[in-house]
Amino acid sequence: MKTTFNALLKTAFVVVVSFGVSAAAPKNVGDAALQSAHAAERAGRAADAVRGYEGVYSDASAPAFRRTAALCGLLRVDAARRVRWAREGLTSEDAERRGIVAQAIALLPPADMECVKTTDLPDDAALALLTAVVHVKSPAAKRFLDGMLAVQSTPAALRRAAIEGLGRSGDVSAVDGLIEWMRSADAEDAAAARRGLIAIADARADKRIADRLDDFKTNPGLLVLLIDVLAVRNAPGYAGAFLPYASHSDAKVRARAFKALGNQGGAEEMPAVLAAAATAPDGRVRDAARSCVARMARRAGGVTFKARFIGNVRTEACGVADFDGDGKLDVVAGPNLYRAPLFRPEKVREVKSEVKEDGKGYAHDFMNLPLDVNGDGRLDVVSGDWFSKETWWIENLLPKPGLWTQHVIEKTGNIETGILVDLDGDGKATDFLPDTQHVCLYQLGKKGPLVDGIFARDSISRDRCDMGRGCGDLNGDGANDILAPDAWYERLKDGSWKRHPLNVGFSDKGRVLGHASNLIVYDVNKDGLADVIVSSAHKFGIFWWEQLKERDAAGELQFRKHVIDDTWSQAHYLGWGDIDGDGVPELVAGKRFMAHNGGDPDPFGRLCVYYYDFTPGPNPVFKKYVVSYDAGIGVGLNVELADMDGDGDVDIVTTGKWGGPVILESKLK
């Protein structure tokens, strides 16, 4: 009890100072008597200690602090009259004395403390004792509180303090009892139990609460409260406990589970959260799911992005380049040019469109590729249309105002989209590779049959092929090849092409042609062989195809399929660039909206944009990061990666029939 007595003396001397008496002053007779009684207590001379303490306490002229210290000493050593001393202290008109005496009682050994009953005490005295017992976490606290709760006549205020006290003073053993109190019909009793559960300091309580959640899956009201308790406790490692309830049949349970996951979930929980969020109905649950994903994305690491809508036009293609020559990157999409830094829409062309508010229909503009076609130093736009079966180049007439001039390149047949490629490896992507039913290439400044007097067309193959294009050195001979989903075309030394089989595409509901996104050639596993990264443009899945060292019996290249992500549909285009600044490209993809007017799988799924980070090498793992989720932003027929604000990191530009374009500004720098 030495520490307790010294603490009381410290309190006493603080009171002395508050009356203007220096704590450093010489001890007077009263202090000496108190010290003498304490010495007798320490020596085990209980009778002497009782006489000494009682002498000080009975001196009505002694300062209050000294009498309080003596009364606490009597509580410790005078077992025969302990109840009397306890009652005198707890019923004192001096509030400070009541509090100090209550704490002194709470510090008694459990057997000594149990003789003090609360049933014959005034409510304020009983509450003071209860508060002290909880505060010091007395070993007798649980029995003391249980005893109080067992008495039917216990006043409501005391009962609720005792319920909450079970948690504040207890360990994991208090969990089940408090959960039962949470089921009380009395809302204030249930609230006290909730506070008690939150206050349990024993870390084992987290697991016990998590284990009990499933016991109440048919009691949504209590389940919501328990999820809330575990969430407020914010225990590390328990975010996964909320996952099953993000798909619960009750909307309030789902919403609360999403909120808890938003507070605590990390990268490990993100795939399951995205799956649950995809099925969240409109209203409160969807709002909670959207907020959850956004908060988890910020906490899960990776690069975060801020969306800036610069337009609201329902077209699906965009291009990024410095169109006005001021050194800043601009955006072209559909009929408009958006010039940096304000990005206000300026109409530069007519684009036919039948797109309705629900996203059905098409804008007759399937690509916007920046290219200086006529060599005048200004970047023009190469475009095309599935329905008119034409490709065009739109001549940049800046700084003159008004519409730009549209020139037909050629009738190419149905054109899905197209890409600019660097066929000769000179570092300049000036060769136009359209995504048509036949493989052909349009080059500037090359010899060959000219179309429109400018482009030299290379009819690589007249064989009908699937939709989707790529360019890269697939066989490692130093020359770039052309890829379609069902064939790759080897560029021979004499400039001709040799067709080889390839099977990295996808059937399209019985349509004559199969489909894929653009095809990216890259050595994913660092084995010295070029692999292919591709997605299903109209179904589920993004994949990489590993080139095997062994060739087949005919001497052709062989590939093995690996899944990157097959949890969402219509990744129609793959962006490729160094998002996180580590020198290795990342994959960027987003959901297309109304690609076939709702005829593709999961047509009304949440619009999203993700990027996938990986480290090239054996058994590479692609880690998925959220760029935008359920914020009205997806990816149409292409997505552009560029440093739009000149701050040294890579931003994302996208548009679609949901209405754009949008600049997703990287917050890396």
Side-chain angles (χ1 to χ4, degrees):
M1 291 297 177
K2 179 178 180 181
T3 302
T4 301
F5 184 79
N6 288 340
L8 292 172
L9 282 181
K10 181 178 180 181
T11 301
F13 279 114
V14 168
V15 176
V16 171
V17 173
S18 72
F19 284 105
V21 180
S22 172
K27 295 182 177 66
N28 59 29
V29 176
D31 290 332
L34 197 60
Q35 292 282 14
S36 177
H38 182 49
E41 179 185 350
R42 285 186 297 172
R45 302 194 313 274
D48 292 341
V50 168
R51 282 193 295 272
Y53 284 136
E54 190 170 8
V56 175
Y57 179 65
S58 62
D59 182 1
S61 63
F65 75 87
R66 193 178 296 135
R67 296 187 67 213
T68 299
L71 181 56
C72 291
L74 288 169
L75 281 167
R76 292 193 302 274
V77 298
D78 192 358
R81 294 182 292 174
R82 182 170 286 131
V83 174
R84 170 191 165 183
W85 301 128
R87 185 172 181 81
E88 284 194 22
L90 291 172
T91 58
S92 171
E93 294 182 358
D94 185 335
E96 185 173 23
R97 177 175 297 173
R98 287 200 304 271
I100 293 173
V101 168
Q103 186 160 329
I105 296 170
L107 289 168
L108 291 172
D112 294 342
M113 180 187 146
E114 285 185 356
C115 69
V116 182
K117 307 295 183 183
T118 59
T119 53
D120 60 347
L121 289 172
D123 289 355
D124 59 346
L127 185 59
L129 180 56
L130 185 156
T131 302
V133 168
V134 170
H135 177 71
V136 303
K137 292 182 170 55
S138 167
K142 189 173 188 307
R143 278 183 294 175
F144 180 83
L145 297 170
D146 284 343
M148 182 177 289
L149 292 171
V151 177
Q152 296 292 327
S153 60
T154 299
L158 284 176
R159 183 177 68 249
R160 288 158 192 157
I163 293 170
E164 185 174 342
L166 286 172
R168 294 193 176 279
S169 62
D171 57 18
V172 66
S173 64
V175 169
D176 290 342
L178 286 169
I179 289 177
E180 288 307 306
W181 276 107
M182 284 183 67
R183 304 176 75 173
S184 171
D186 187 307
E188 292 191 40
D189 285 357
R194 174 186 175 277
R195 293 193 297 271
L197 272 177
I198 292 171
I200 296 175
D202 188 347
R204 295 174 298 173
D206 299 311
K207 184 177 186 305
R208 184 57 184 163
I209 296 169
D211 290 344
R212 292 295 310 275
L213 291 178
D214 202 46
D215 295 343
F216 303 99
K217 60 185 177 183
T218 59
N219 184 344
L222 185 57
L223 186 54
V224 166
L225 293 175
L226 287 175
I227 291 172
D228 181 70
V229 165
L230 191 57
V232 173
R233 287 178 63 83
N234 200 25
Y238 282 93
F242 306 124
L243 285 173
Y245 307 103
S247 301
H248 193 274
S249 59
D250 186 86
K252 290 183 179 179
V253 173
R254 293 198 301 273
R256 192 61 190 88
F258 277 122
K259 184 176 180 182
L261 284 161
N263 290 338
Q264 293 176 246
E268 290 184 1
E269 290 78 32
M270 182 63 87
V273 166
L274 288 170
T279 62
D282 287 343
R284 179 183 175 189
V285 177
R286 183 171 178 179
D287 290 343
R290 183 187 297 116
S291 175
C292 169
V293 172
R295 297 184 69 181
M296 287 179 64
R298 288 193 293 270
R299 192 167 50 252
V303 180
T304 58
F305 294 81
K306 181 179 181 181
R308 179 182 179 183
F309 279 82
I310 61 174
N312 187 25
V313 181
R314 295 179 181 273
T315 59
E316 294 193 90
C318 61
V320 170
D322 179 10
F323 288 100
D324 58 5
D326 66 353
K328 300 180 179 66
L329 293 178
D330 313 306
V331 177
V332 63
N336 295 327
L337 173 69
Y338 303 83
R339 286 201 266 182
L342 299 179
F343 297 105
R344 292 171 177 162
E346 305 171 41
K347 188 172 182 178
V348 294
R349 58 184 293 213
E350 297 287 352
V351 172
K352 182 180 178 181
S353 177
E354 300 96 15
V355 182
K356 301 177 178 63
E357 286 300 307
D358 60 3
K360 294 182 178 181
Y362 294 94
H364 294 228
D365 179 34
F366 284 73
M367 59 186 169
N368 286 176
L369 306 178
L371 182 65
D372 183 4
V373 176
N374 57 1
D376 65 355
R378 292 190 298 266
L379 287 167
D380 310 299
V381 177
V382 176
S383 184
D385 174 28
W386 175 275
F387 300 100
S388 68
K389 303 181 181 182
E390 288 182 339
T391 53
W392 317 292
W393 69 278
I394 295 91
E395 184 179 359
N396 181 349
L397 298 181
L398 293 176
K400 290 170 55 178
L403 299 182
W404 296 358
T405 303
Q406 180 167 301
H407 306 268
V408 175
I409 298 174
E410 193 172 32
K411 276 197 171 289
T412 51
N414 298 118
I415 180 164
E416 175 90 322
T417 183
I419 56 177
L420 295 176
V421 300
D422 176 15
L423 186 63
D424 55 14
D426 64 358
K428 300 175 182 178
T430 57
D431 303 316
F432 167 40
L433 181 60
D435 194 353
T436 59
Q437 296 180 23
H438 306 283
V439 181
C440 61
L441 184 72
Y442 295 84
Q443 298 176 282
L444 287 175
K446 306 291 192 224
K447 293 181 180 179
L450 295 180
V451 293
D452 191 34
I454 296 177
F455 286 97
R457 175 167 50 78
D458 188 343
S459 299
I460 296 172
S461 174
R462 283 295 179 184
D463 296 335
R464 196 161 188 170
C465 64
D466 290 350
M467 310 303 288
R469 293 291 183 272
C471 179
D473 183 6
L474 193 60
N475 61 351
D477 66 354
N480 282 336
D481 309 302
I482 299 295
L483 285 73
D486 55 351
W488 69 277
Y489 299 86
E490 179 185 4
R491 189 183 183 202
L492 303 178
K493 291 182 178 179
D494 63 1
S496 62
W497 301 89
K498 181 179 180 181
R499 186 184 190 279
H500 299 273
L502 190 63
N503 184 23
V504 298
F506 310 85
S507 63
D508 197 0
K509 282 191 175 180
R511 293 183 174 91
V512 175
L513 297 178
H515 71 276
S517 67
N518 54 314
L519 294 89
I520 298 170
V521 178
Y522 186 79
D523 185 2
V524 175
N525 57 358
K526 283 296 187 183
D527 64 353
L529 301 175
D531 309 303
V532 179
I533 303 174
V534 65
S535 66
S536 173
H538 297 288
K539 294 186 176 181
F540 286 87
I542 306 171
F543 310 90
W544 73 278
W545 288 80
E546 175 190 3
Q547 184 177 162
L548 305 181
K549 289 181 170 60
E550 303 80 12
R551 299 202 177 196
D552 67 12
E556 297 291 353
L557 302 181
Q558 296 190 95
F559 295 85
R560 179 187 295 127
K561 184 179 183 181
H562 301 270
V563 176
I564 295 174
D565 187 3
D566 60 0
T567 63
W568 57 283
S569 70
Q570 301 182 67
H572 203 283
Y573 187 91
L574 302 178
W576 186 243
D578 188 3
I579 295 291
D580 58 12
D582 65 354
V584 177
E586 278 75 45
L587 190 66
V588 178
K591 187 174 179 68
R592 189 180 176 193
F593 180 55
M594 290 286 117
H596 284 144
N597 291 329
D600 289 339
D602 192 27
F604 302 104
R606 308 292 188 242
L607 287 179
C608 55
V609 182
Y610 303 117
Y611 81 85
Y612 298 82
D613 184 30
F614 72 104
T615 300
N619 302 313
V621 175
F622 285 78
K623 191 172 182 180
K624 178 180 181 179
Y625 292 98
V626 175
V627 176
S628 176
Y629 180 81
D630 199 16
I633 301 170
V635 170
L637 289 166
N638 71 310
V639 61
E640 296 298 310
L641 311 184
D643 183 5
M644 298 300 297
D645 48 12
D647 62 356
D649 54 25
V650 176
D651 308 305
I652 299 172
V653 181
T654 181
T655 195
K657 288 195 285 182
W658 36 268
V662 175
I663 299 173
L664 294 158
E665 180 186 350
S666 169
K667 308 310 288 185
L668 182 64
K669 296 182 180 179

